[in-house]
Amino acid sequence: MAKHRSLLAVLTAASMLCISIEALAGPLVEAATKAEQLATSGDPAKARELLRQAVGDFSQTLPFSIGKAVFISKEPAGYAMYEPKDGTVFKTGEAIVSYIEPVGLTWKQASVKDKLETRFTVDFDILNPAGKVLAGQKAFGDFTFTGYLRNQEIYSTLTIDVSGAPAGDYVLRFHFNDINSGKTATIDQPFKIAGQ
């Protein structure tokens, strides 16, 4: 009898855990399950569209932040199609080019019927290692994206000219400003200007 009670307690706990996991599953899991059904029933295009919509909706719940920030060696061909720079040391007069992916942008209805729009501006500061701001610019970049869904494959390429700056260690700080929500996300990129 004790073994049966013990087994019953384990089964009860396991079923409660399954119910808790199902309750936490949420819209992404539901969309993935539905997309799998669509794909196996011969409608992969609709499955893909369902997943894109679900990811866009989910991304609206994320805090505004920076997902990726890297120095790059040449202009990217598109989202996630970049060549990272080898290291963080720049020659005197060499332009500093950053590839940056914002996350959690807020979308709103655009002025064009049925379209959505997101917009962000970018400020930058150049600091010394002690944190003193040496230079900067507000609204250095201004980006607007308009489309039929909350696209998550958004990036910005930012080029900073530091010609004339002496050799040494610096920090490049970008402030991304989500215009629709008023939120800001900041990312630091330490770099060095090599001597002659």
Side-chain angles (χ1 to χ4, degrees):
M1 187 73 162
K3 284 185 179 180
H4 292 295
R5 281 189 199 145
S6 175
L7 181 59
L8 183 59
V10 168
L11 290 174
T12 302
S15 66
M16 289 175 70
L17 180 62
C18 287
I19 291 168
S20 297
I21 290 171
E22 285 177 19
L24 294 174
L28 280 179
V29 172
E30 289 172 22
T33 302
K34 206 179 247 183
E36 283 181 8
Q37 292 166 352
L38 286 167
T40 56
S41 69
D43 198 348
K46 195 169 183 180
R48 179 178 177 268
E49 191 59 31
L50 178 69
L51 285 176
R52 286 177 58 148
Q53 183 68 47
V55 169
D57 293 346
F58 172 73
S59 294
Q60 286 287 104
T61 67
L62 296 174
F64 184 51
S65 59
I66 303 300
K68 180 176 287 297
V70 295
F71 293 124
I72 55 175
S73 59
K74 63 182 182 180
E75 193 70 24
Y79 181 81
M81 292 186 258
Y82 59 87
E83 292 299 323
K85 176 180 170 49
D86 187 20
T88 60
V89 178
F90 294 83
K91 299 173 192 160
T92 302
E94 180 182 2
I96 297 173
V97 184
S98 295
Y99 168 93
I100 303 179
E101 296 174 1
V103 174
L105 287 162
T106 303
W107 292 77
K108 67 175 189 175
Q109 287 302 126
S111 58
V112 178
K113 186 178 187 257
D114 296 329
K115 286 193 176 183
L116 298 166
E117 181 177 282
T118 190
R119 179 176 167 225
F120 61 92
T121 61
V122 183
D123 312 326
F124 81 87
D125 293 315
I126 296 178
L127 302 88
N128 66 16
K132 180 181 178 188
V133 176
L134 305 173
Q137 184 178 335
K138 298 285 186 201
F140 169 73
D142 191 334
F143 303 87
T144 301
F145 296 87
T146 305
Y148 289 102
L149 59 86
R150 295 179 181 103
N151 190 354
Q152 301 309 303
E153 296 182 348
I154 291 177
Y155 71 95
S156 61
T157 305
L158 302 163
T159 303
I160 307 292
D161 181 0
V162 291
S163 56
D169 294 319
Y170 299 91
V171 175
L172 177 56
R173 177 172 292 161
F174 288 112
H175 305 277
F176 277 62
N177 309 296
D178 183 352
I179 300 303
N180 292 340
S181 71
K183 295 178 181 174
T184 299
T186 300
I187 189 74
D188 286 354
Q189 290 185 285
F191 70 96
K192 179 178 186 132
I193 298 176
Q196 296 289 359

